[in-house]
Amino acid sequence: MTGERSLQFGPITFVDFDAPGWAYSGLIDWFGSTPDKKDVVERPQQHGAFPADVSLRASKAISFRASFRGQTGADVEEAYDRLTAVAAEGPVLLTANYPGGSTWRKVTATVNVEDHFGLHIGEATIHCVARDPRRYATGEWVETPPPSPGQGQTWPEVSPEVWPGGGSTGRITLVNDGKAPTLPSFVLKGGIGSALITCVETGARVGFARPIPAGSSVVIENGRATLDGQDVSRWLRFREWTPIPGGMSRSFQLNVVEPVGTPRLAGKADHAWW
């Protein structure tokens, strides 16, 4: 979105100008970092505190003011009810559209509404908590079949040379264009007897030790695995989750046992910022 600002709170759109429907103002703490939640241990006989080898950020509190303009007081009450129902569903996807692009967080929310005194204009304050403090822009899916040899070349070569194609490295490369580390998501598409995903740069591994029938898929994200919507995390192996640092990429190698049909690995990295 270019030139205009808006918020998307679940199915409800809040515009940044005076118009019928919902509008918003005063989006607080969408940008910026949260405090480090690691304990600070002061040095008893020296200046300062003991150093920490890692920073762990706390959850993020976000809020904004909203106003609704309808034609009657009943319109305002209906808008209040709808807004409260969306907030109660949680977690809710909250997307901020700015001239520089769109970013989102998953939040839980509390809605405080004000008495509209029967008028056609109502006011509300929405308080949100993002348990993951990072904001994201959705990345692109890339995929690969398992490794396979190419067609090879026959010598001596006859001019003009035409190098044969075919084959697959079985690798995908995921890029994080943001400034904060992000965890990749994977989809294993059957049929596969078992599978191993290895980060080429770090050697970190994630395995799945159960057959995946042709036509079914296992989604691996946020430390869990689901097969056609059913939790199958108990068949995950190694669980060596490796984040992709901000502004960098990571390559992932697929290896499978007993492939059937056209199995594939799909991967995605959402770009992340603090």
Side-chain angles (χ1 to χ4, degrees):
M1 190 166 218
T2 303
E4 295 181 356
R5 300 196 311 163
S6 65
L7 290 180
Q8 189 72 33
F9 181 66
I12 301 178
T13 301
F14 297 82
V15 296
D16 189 37
F17 50 85
D18 188 19
W22 282 109
Y24 83 98
S25 63
L27 177 60
I28 299 174
D29 280 343
W30 185 253
F31 298 96
S33 63
T34 57
D36 186 353
K37 63 182 180 181
K38 294 206 63 155
D39 292 335
V40 176
V41 181
E42 298 290 340
R43 294 180 182 269
Q45 299 181 14
Q46 295 186 35
H47 299 295
F50 291 102
D53 56 353
V54 66
S55 176
L56 298 177
R57 295 293 163 178
S59 59
K60 191 172 186 66
I62 303 159
S63 63
F64 61 96
R65 290 278 299 169
S67 62
F68 181 84
R69 191 173 77 184
Q71 295 182 339
T72 66
D75 292 342
V76 176
E77 293 164 18
E78 182 179 353
Y80 280 172
D81 290 340
R82 185 179 179 216
L83 177 62
T84 303
V86 171
E89 293 174 357
V92 179
L93 193 65
L94 178 62
T95 302
N97 301 303
Y98 275 79
S102 299
T103 53
W104 54 263
R105 289 181 170 95
K106 288 185 178 179
V107 302
T108 54
T110 301
V111 176
N112 299 121
V113 299
E114 300 177 10
D115 191 351
H116 64 295
F117 300 103
L119 302 176
H120 68 286
I121 297 177
E123 303 283 340
T125 304
I126 296 89
H127 302 280
C128 304
V129 174
R131 283 163 170 76
D132 180 352
R134 289 164 290 192
R135 55 189 174 91
Y136 295 94
T138 302
E140 297 291 331
W141 287 97
V142 295
E143 63 177 48
T144 182
S148 62
Q151 297 176 12
Q153 180 67 298
T154 302
W155 299 95
E157 181 59 74
V158 178
S159 182
E161 297 182 4
V162 178
W163 199 268
S168 168
T169 63
R171 291 186 180 183
I172 57 174
T173 298
L174 304 180
V175 180
N176 177 12
D177 290 333
K179 301 295 190 293
T182 186
L183 284 172
S185 300
F186 300 109
V187 177
L188 289 167
K189 302 178 181 180
I192 297 171
S194 64
L196 180 66
I197 305 168
T198 305
C199 179
V200 175
E201 291 81 3
T202 67
R205 300 163 298 170
V206 177
F208 189 75
R210 171 186 165 169
I212 305 172
S216 295
S217 297
V218 169
V219 178
I220 302 173
E221 60 183 357
N222 299 323
R224 297 177 61 245
T226 55
L227 172 60
D228 296 336
Q230 300 296 316
D231 192 296
V232 290
S233 301
R234 59 187 177 277
W235 282 289
L236 284 172
R237 299 295 181 265
F238 306 113
R239 300 173 184 251
E240 296 168 353
W241 314 110
T242 180
I244 303 174
M248 299 186 69
S249 65
R250 289 287 185 265
S251 296
F252 297 89
Q253 177 71 53
L254 170 66
N255 289 287
V256 302
V257 175
E258 300 175 356
V260 177
T262 56
R264 300 183 74 83
L265 168 68
K268 174 175 70 78
D270 293 327
H271 315 292
W273 292 265
W274 295 115

